[in-house]
């Protein structure tokens, strides 16, 4: 019965995709018409969030392409997924260039530092979408063996590691984590932007599993359930558990932090 549900999923994602396109095109038209974009106030990579949204739509369409065995449904899902993947690539590239240009010119504000890792989840959802499309084309449309994903997944994972290290270097230099985990309330640990640290951790651990199992194991370079396999998997699990710990810590800080600040202010006033 899943074949009857997948066209409904296509319609649902199409509605979301069209809505997202309208929102973004209205924003672009407004900026171009009114010349209202202030580069000095956008010195971060938060401008790449629309690319992340379109990437999520693309990976949603690709799910139908991988699960359906109906050639017509797979073709439609594949076409729509590729369209939003192209939108992700165009917007992501343009906004990344603009964002880094503004960062080099104006520097980074402490609160915007988590956005330096926004490219990591974008690459994860886009990479998964490409893998799903490859699987759908190979098993439903062309009826051939799927191609090896070793080079592709290794490249995606390498870019993510590079972005993670570069962002961490900037955060360490600006003492971001010291302020984030400080016991005293400040603009960093009280800002909801800190939750942007959670998604890159999840995305990195997910792509790490794809890299281990779909790149190394599938290509025969790594023995499944061997010592090295469990060692690499343990590293990915550490990243995932650290991300989970960070999420709960941020939730607790966002809930209790303002209350503690008010109590401190009240005590000083008394």
């Amino acid at each position: 019965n899943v074949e009857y549900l997948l066209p409904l999923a296509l319609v649902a994602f199409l509605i979301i995709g069209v809505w997202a396109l309208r929102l973004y095109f209205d924003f672009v038209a407004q900026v171009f018409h009114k010349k209202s974009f202030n580069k000095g106030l956008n010195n971060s990579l938060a401008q790449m969030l629309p690319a992340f949204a379109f990437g999520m739509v693309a990976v949603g369409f690709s799910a139908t392409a991988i699960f359906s065995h109906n050639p017509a449904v797979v073709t439609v899902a594949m076409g729509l997924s590729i369209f939003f993947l192209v939108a992700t690539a165009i917007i992501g590239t343009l906004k990344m260039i603009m964002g880094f240009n503004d960062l080099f010119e104006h520097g980074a504000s402490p609160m915007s530092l988590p956005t330096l890792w926004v490219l990591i989840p974008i690459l994860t959802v886009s990479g998964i979408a490409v893998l799903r499309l490859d699987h759908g084309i190979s098993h439903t449309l062309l009826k051939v063996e799927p191609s090896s994903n070793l080079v592709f997944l290794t490249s995606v994972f390498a870019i993510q590691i590079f972005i993670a290290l570069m962002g961490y270097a900037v955060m360490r230099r600006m003492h971001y984590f010291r302020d984030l985990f400080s016991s005293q309330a400040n603009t960093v640990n009280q800002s909801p932007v800190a939750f942007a640290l959670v998604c890159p951790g999840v995305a990195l651990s997910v792509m790490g599993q794809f890299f281990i199992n779909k790149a190394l194991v599938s290509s025969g370079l790594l023995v499944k359930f061997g010592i090295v396999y469990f060692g690499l998997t343990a590293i990915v699990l550490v990243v995932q558990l650290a991300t989970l710990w960070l999420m709960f810590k941020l939730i607790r800080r966002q809930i209790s932090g303002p209350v503690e600040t008010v109590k401190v202010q009240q005590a000083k006033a008394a």
Side-chain angles (χ1 to χ4, degrees), residues 40-54:
L41 298 178
N42 289 275
N43 53 333
S44 70
L45 297 185
Q47 307 168 50
M48 296 180 64
L49 288 177
F52 187 21
F54 289 134

Side-chain angles (χ1 to χ4, degrees), residues 190-247:
Q190 294 298 320
S191 172
V193 181
F195 281 97
L197 295 170
V198 175
C199 203
V202 175
L204 197 62
S205 61
V206 170
M207 185 52 66
Q209 293 287 0
F210 273 91
F211 171 69
I212 295 171
N213 294 281
K214 298 299 293 182
L216 299 181
V217 174
S218 297
S219 62
L221 296 177
L222 183 64
V223 178
K224 193 172 186 179
F225 302 137
I227 297 178
V228 179
Y229 175 87
F230 283 115
L232 294 176
T233 303
I235 297 175
V236 175
L237 291 177
V238 168
V239 174
Q240 186 173 359
L241 291 175
T243 304
L244 186 64
W245 171 83
L246 176 62
M247 183 186 70

Side-chain angles (χ1 to χ4, degrees), residues 110-184:
M111 287 190 299
S112 66
L113 289 178
T115 65
L116 295 177
W117 285 347
V118 71
L119 183 59
I120 296 176
I122 293 176
L123 287 173
T124 293
V125 296
S126 300
I128 293 174
V130 172
L131 289 178
R132 288 176 172 179
L133 292 177
D134 179 69
H135 183 88
I137 293 172
S138 302
H139 291 279
T140 306
L141 297 182
L142 301 182
K143 303 292 184 180
V144 296
E145 289 296 322
S147 60
S148 174
N149 299 301
L150 176 62
V151 175
F152 172 70
L153 287 175
T154 303
S155 301
V156 172
F157 196 52
I159 296 173
Q160 290 181 315
I161 296 296
F162 177 81
I163 294 297
L165 293 175
M166 182 179 66
Y168 175 76
V170 178
M171 294 177 190
R172 185 181 63 178
R173 175 60 64 89
M174 298 183 65
H175 307 293
Y176 178 80
F177 292 104
R178 183 193 65 184
D179 296 335
L180 181 65
F181 299 121
S182 174
S183 59
Q184 297 182 353

